[in-house]
Amino acid sequence: GQDAGAAVTTGSYNTMLGNTSRSSATASYNTIVGALSGSAALGNNNTALGKSALATAGAVTDAVAIGANALTSALTAGANGSVAVGSSALTLLTSGASNTAVGQNSGAAITTGSSNTLLGHTSRSAATTSNNTIIGATTGSTAAGGNNTVMGANAFGAVSTAITNVVGIGNGVLAGALTTGANGAVAIGSGTLAALTSGAQNVAMGNGAAAAITTGNSNTIVGTSSATALTTGSSNTTLGTGTSVAATASNNTMIGSTVGFTNMGGNNTVIGAHSFGSVLTAITDVVGIGYATLAGVITVAASGATAVGSNALNSLTTGASNTAVGRSAGSAITTGSSNTLPGHSTVSEATS
């Protein structure tokens, strides 16, 4: 090509193809293909393929740039070994070390950040941050901090401050306007923690789990579509498909399929499938252990109820201060109060 290799004097084993494809005077083992690709200041062992790839590089070595405008900034030796595959991949990189970007515009904002791995169209990391692994189309943010691992399309893309130490796996995870208050969040499953902003120490696993949490703290939510109404409540633990917690409720432990209800209050502990699922008002301080315990249309008047055993207190509505231990114990009670029923199938009148 016209002016191809025009600066080479003593360099050896260079291959240049394209108008003004370049290598430095003494550098060797460079393969430069594409118009205006390569640089008259290059070091050794570089591979560039695409218009203007490695176009203004300094004495960088062992770089790979494939795609128009890949690694096109003034690279220094600090960026030795960089890999950019895709149009405009790592296009602003200068001295950041050990970066790998694959996909059009991937890593396009990185300048001095190091040890970032990006895979996917427009996968992003900030200019100076390091140790991020971002995989997925339009995933990651140019405002994020370091040490983040995110995999999934359209995830982690609206970060507002330099959040760190996040793990997100699944399409659309951690898609809210995240701040450093949410450092260390863990979201696994499509759409998990999708609205999180500043809530601290949240862990959610399962498609759609905890998708509405914004500022709630210290929640551990495991199960598909679990705690989907929770927004600002804190210190809740749920395990099971479709477990529920109210938007602002805190200190609840719900374990079992379809346990809990979106009207509950706080400080409730319920373990057993299909339990505590028809709460009418913000009941608190309940303990239920066993299948279908406390399954009635229960109100705040029944706060403090204790039901241990399958179907125990399963008709309770407003009765206060009831304790039932044993299978089906107290199953007839609705509005009765201050009953203590130990043993299998012990009963009391509904209103006594």
Side-chain angles (χ1 to χ4, degrees):
Q2 183 177 355
D3 296 322
V8 177
T9 56
T10 60
S12 303
Y13 304 104
N14 295 293
T15 302
M16 269 81 70
L17 175 62
N19 183 51
T20 320
S21 51
R22 298 165 293 220
S23 186
S24 66
T26 61
S28 299
Y29 305 104
N30 288 310
T31 301
I32 309 296
V33 180
L36 305 174
S37 59
S39 160
L42 281 178
N44 300 319
N45 307 314
N46 297 291
T47 301
L49 174 59
K51 176 186 174 294
S52 300
L54 284 176
T56 60
V60 67
T61 65
D62 302 293
V64 175
I66 300 175
N69 302 308
L71 287 171
T72 195
S73 288
L75 293 167
T76 70
N80 287 351
S82 299
V83 176
V85 180
S87 177
S88 297
L90 292 178
T91 191
L92 296 180
L93 187 68
T94 55
S95 61
S98 305
N99 291 292
T100 300
V102 178
Q104 185 179 8
N105 298 317
S106 62
I110 298 173
T111 56
T112 59
S114 299
S115 301
N116 297 293
T117 301
L118 302 105
L119 173 60
H121 184 287
T122 319
S123 49
R124 298 168 293 226
S125 188
T128 61
T129 56
S130 300
N131 305 312
N132 289 307
T133 300
I134 308 295
I135 299 175
T138 60
T139 290
S141 167
T142 57
N147 307 313
N148 299 296
T149 301
V150 181
M151 301 171 61
N154 303 310
F156 200 52
V159 175
S160 63
T161 56
I163 189 171
T164 63
N165 300 298
V166 155
V167 174
I169 300 175
N171 291 344
V173 299
L174 295 163
L178 292 162
T179 71
T180 54
N183 285 349
V186 176
I188 300 175
S190 180
T192 56
L193 292 179
L196 187 67
T197 55
S198 61
Q201 299 177 337
N202 289 291
V203 176
M205 300 174 64
N207 290 347
I213 291 179
T214 54
T215 60
N217 301 313
S218 303
N219 295 291
T220 301
I221 310 298
V222 179
T224 298
S225 301
S226 184
T228 56
L230 183 62
T231 56
T232 60
S234 297
S235 301
N236 295 291
T237 300
T238 74
L239 173 60
T241 299
T243 54
S244 295
V245 176
T248 61
S250 297
N251 306 311
N252 292 294
T253 300
M254 299 285 132
I255 300 177
S257 178
T258 60
V259 171
F261 200 70
T262 56
N263 285 341
M264 71 171 66
N267 309 314
N268 299 295
T269 301
V270 180
I271 302 173
H274 305 293
S275 296
F276 202 49
S278 299
V279 177
L280 189 61
T281 53
I283 189 171
T284 64
D285 302 295
V286 155
V287 174
I289 301 176
Y291 173 81
T293 59
L294 297 161
V297 182
I298 200 165
T299 71
V300 67
S303 292
T306 299
V308 180
S310 178
N311 293 297
L313 292 179
N314 68 349
S315 299
L316 188 65
T317 57
T318 60
S321 304
N322 289 292
T323 300
V325 179
R327 180 182 176 187
S328 299
S331 59
I333 296 174
T334 55
T335 59
S337 298
S338 302
N339 295 288
T340 302
L341 303 166
H344 182 301
S345 298
T346 50
V347 295
S348 181
E349 297 296 326
T351 58
S352 63

